[in-house]
Amino acid sequence: MKRTQPEELAQEHVTVVDVRSQEEFDAGHVPGAVHVPIEDLESRLAELPVTRPVVAYCNMFHPGSSRGERAAALLAGRGFDAAVLEGGYPAWRDFQDQDAGVTSPPVSASPGDAPGEADTGGAGC
């Protein structure tokens, strides 16, 4: 699976897709990201351009089986030039804060999101 680093989002012309819940998106997201919760992704593929790379992200609480990785795999399987954002939203936020010299609080986990808890399908990351 292709992976994109947070600093590459500013350098590349890509479609960024946030596959987290509405609450997570509302709490903070990559500017310009299209919000398509993972459970809606397959039914909303027509909203995404197939002519540019697509980078999916989540909170990356479950690397190897996260929502972002599952979204990127689904997109790649449907013919998109897809990648996952390495480290998810927390990595992007940390990169932005590092550039600005700011320290952010950690992203809080939703039920089922804590490291070591089982992935519950659409919930968690």
Side-chain angles (χ1 to χ4, degrees):
M1 170 176 309
K2 287 173 48 175
R3 297 184 178 277
T4 297
Q5 298 300 315
E7 58 272 16
E8 294 175 282
L9 290 184
Q11 299 169 4
E12 291 188 36
H13 191 64
V14 299
T15 299
V16 180
V17 180
D18 185 321
V19 297
R20 301 174 303 154
S21 70
Q22 185 67 53
E23 294 79 20
E24 291 168 302
F25 183 81
D26 290 345
H29 57 272
V30 173
V34 177
H35 181 232
V36 182
I38 187 71
E39 61 271 7
D40 299 336
L41 184 59
E42 192 153 17
S43 67
R44 294 180 56 188
L45 290 176
E47 297 175 31
L48 304 175
V50 294
T51 56
R52 350 190 295 208
V54 177
V55 176
Y57 75 89
C58 63
N59 285 329
M60 202 56 76
F61 290 128
H62 299 288
S65 64
S66 71
R67 292 175 288 179
E69 290 163 316
R70 292 193 320 259
L74 183 138
L75 291 164
R78 300 297 191 277
F80 288 84
D81 178 8
V84 64
L85 178 60
E86 185 73 33
Y89 178 72
W92 177 85
R93 187 199 58 226
D94 291 347
F95 172 74
Q96 294 300 308
D97 290 348
Q98 206 171 27
D99 273 359
V102 175
T103 303
S104 294
V107 173
S108 60
S110 301
D113 262 1
E117 290 188 25
D119 192 350
T120 57
C125 187

